[in-house]
Amino acid sequence: MGAWARWGAPRKATKKEELICVLGLYYLERILLPAAVIPAVVLLVKIYKADKREKEPPELLASLVIYGVLATALAIFAERLGGWLLPRLMQPNTLAYQAVEYFVVVGLSEEAAKYLLLKRRTWNSPAFNYTFDGVVYAAFVSL
């Protein structure tokens, strides 16, 4: 006897159950989004305050945060391309495949995207005049 015969066909959720589900997801999102954003903001503020010589222009820092979002989009594209290409070059589900996937495809695509956009935005900027500026800029792109 199958599972459906034993318990019957699945029933449709009531309006109350649907509302509870939607509200639960709403409250879960209200917790998870701040839980993801607050630590990054705290770290950015601490790194910004650690720059003792010359504070960086807020416009530049805001643009670096936006570049960080763009770096994520570029990394997703590169990872999908690598995920499509890698099984055609190597046998999937092997240790070598996993190592190449995680260390080359994922790691290289994410870090390269951040580096390329960071260099494009800051390398020739007149505000980039101290060594610690690179630390500040990299943190704003990465977080």
Side-chain angles (χ1 to χ4, degrees), residues 79-106:
E79 287 173 20
R80 289 193 181 216
L81 180 64
W84 175 82
L85 186 61
L86 190 60
R88 288 157 177 73
L89 300 174
M90 298 180 72
Q91 180 66 34
N93 299 327
T94 62
L95 182 60
Y97 179 89
Q98 299 295 324
V100 170
E101 182 179 28
Y102 297 132
F103 292 108
V104 176
V105 173
V106 174

Side-chain angles (χ1 to χ4, degrees), residues 96-132:
Y97 179 89
Q98 299 295 324
V100 170
E101 182 179 28
Y102 297 132
F103 292 108
V104 176
V105 173
V106 174
L108 189 63
S109 65
E110 290 180 6
E111 299 308 319
K114 287 186 279 189
Y115 171 75
L116 291 173
L117 291 176
L118 173 68
K119 186 171 181 181
R120 176 187 169 115
R121 179 65 181 102
T122 61
W123 194 253
N124 295 321
S125 173
F128 194 175
N129 50 4
Y130 292 105
T131 306
F132 195 74

Side-chain angles (χ1 to χ4, degrees), residues 27-108:
Y27 286 114
L28 187 62
E29 288 176 4
R30 289 185 61 193
I31 293 170
L32 292 179
L33 185 62
V37 172
I38 290 171
V41 170
V42 168
L43 284 172
L44 291 176
V45 169
K46 288 183 80 69
I47 290 171
Y48 181 74
K49 287 182 177 181
D51 189 5
K52 300 291 184 204
R53 293 204 179 220
E54 177 185 354
K55 296 296 183 193
E56 304 308 313
E59 303 84 22
L60 176 62
L61 297 177
S63 71
L64 288 172
V65 171
I66 293 168
Y67 271 52
V69 173
L70 293 174
T72 302
L74 285 174
I76 289 171
F77 174 76
E79 287 173 20
R80 289 193 181 216
L81 180 64
W84 175 82
L85 186 61
L86 190 60
R88 288 157 177 73
L89 300 174
M90 298 180 72
Q91 180 66 34
N93 299 327
T94 62
L95 182 60
Y97 179 89
Q98 299 295 324
V100 170
E101 182 179 28
Y102 297 132
F103 292 108
V104 176
V105 173
V106 174
L108 189 63

